Amino acid sequence: MRGGSRAPGLGVAIPAPRRVVSEGTVIRGGVDYFLEHGTIDMDGLAGVLAVSRATLYRVAGSRDQLIGEVLWQLGSHRLAEACRARRRSGVDGVIEVTRHYMTGVRQSSPLRRLVIAEPEVAARVLFAEPGGVHQRFIRAQAAVIREVLGADLDQFAADPEALAYIYIGIVESAVYAEVLTGQPADLDRTEQALRALFIPTG
């Protein structure tokens, strides 16, 4: 019987057990759905995961939160790949990581589809709460600066967090301007602006 069974001899319907789904499963499902569709439709994703819409919202929190988690998962994975591809050290190494990262993001058709089709959603998720993507990337960039520069950090006037705050703003401006306008970002000028942030002390 659909929806449950009946207790023997009582004629009382026993509800079917509710499927339990973890946050990790929802995010992985969201990543797959986003890569295929360039957006996340909660009804469609609930069907893919074989859970109710209410269950999906209970686990994900909101559509914006889920899209933010998906973009963070994809972006942090791409940043990790960019770090592994680094061959240079010092400021050149920091810039090299960014070049690898930007190249990958610029080639992301799902992200382009989201920004063009749902610019308000993309702006909320990427730059404000509850997406939190912007702040996460600032922290991630500060970690990259620390790792790549190491002891050389002492020679620069600003601390990693301050550098990362401005650094990510420049990177985001270049990447998302290209997505919105269709005009290729000028990577040379972007890198020139990024390099100018690293001002030696004394």
Side-chain angles (χ1 to χ4, degrees):
M1 177 180 295
R2 293 183 61 185
S5 59
R6 293 187 179 274
L10 297 178
V12 177
I14 301 175
R18 184 171 58 189
R19 181 168 184 262
V20 177
V21 62
S22 68
E23 182 181 13
T25 298
V26 167
I27 293 173
R28 286 191 295 272
V31 168
D32 292 341
Y33 195 98
F34 180 79
L35 290 175
E36 181 176 355
H37 301 282
T39 187
I40 292 181
D41 175 78
M42 298 298 273
D43 288 333
L45 179 58
V48 170
L49 296 175
V51 298
S52 69
R53 192 170 183 270
T55 295
L56 180 58
Y57 272 98
R58 187 176 65 253
V59 176
S62 71
R63 180 172 183 260
D64 279 6
Q65 284 178 290
L66 181 55
I67 292 176
E69 288 294 339
V70 166
L71 293 181
W72 167 246
Q73 291 292 323
L74 292 171
S76 60
H77 177 72
R78 196 176 298 279
L79 182 59
E81 289 182 334
C83 289
R84 288 193 292 270
R86 177 178 65 88
R87 296 295 178 267
R88 299 180 181 180
S89 59
V91 174
D92 288 340
V94 176
I95 301 295
E96 182 187 8
V97 169
T98 301
R99 178 178 279 270
H100 288 310
Y101 174 77
M102 287 182 64
T103 299
V105 172
R106 292 163 65 215
Q107 295 172 349
S108 173
S109 57
L111 178 61
R112 185 181 299 273
R113 290 168 64 185
L114 176 68
V115 172
I116 292 174
E118 302 182 74
E120 293 183 0
V121 171
R124 269 199 318 269
V125 170
L126 290 167
F127 304 120
E129 296 295 342
V133 179
H134 178 70
Q135 293 300 325
R136 284 168 152 178
F137 274 112
I138 289 175
R139 291 193 293 269
Q141 183 61 48
V144 170
I145 291 171
R146 283 195 183 89
E147 178 181 350
V148 177
L149 295 184
D152 292 340
L153 271 173
D154 293 339
Q155 66 181 281
F156 300 108
D159 61 47
E161 285 72 21
L163 287 169
Y165 179 81
I166 305 299
Y167 195 104
I168 288 298
I170 294 172
V171 171
E172 289 173 339
S173 296
V175 170
Y176 299 120
E178 175 176 340
V179 170
L180 287 170
T181 65
Q183 299 298 316
D186 189 328
L187 291 185
D188 291 335
R189 287 189 175 182
T190 300
E191 290 180 12
Q192 184 178 2
L194 294 174
R195 196 177 295 275
L197 297 176
F198 295 89
I199 302 172
T201 56

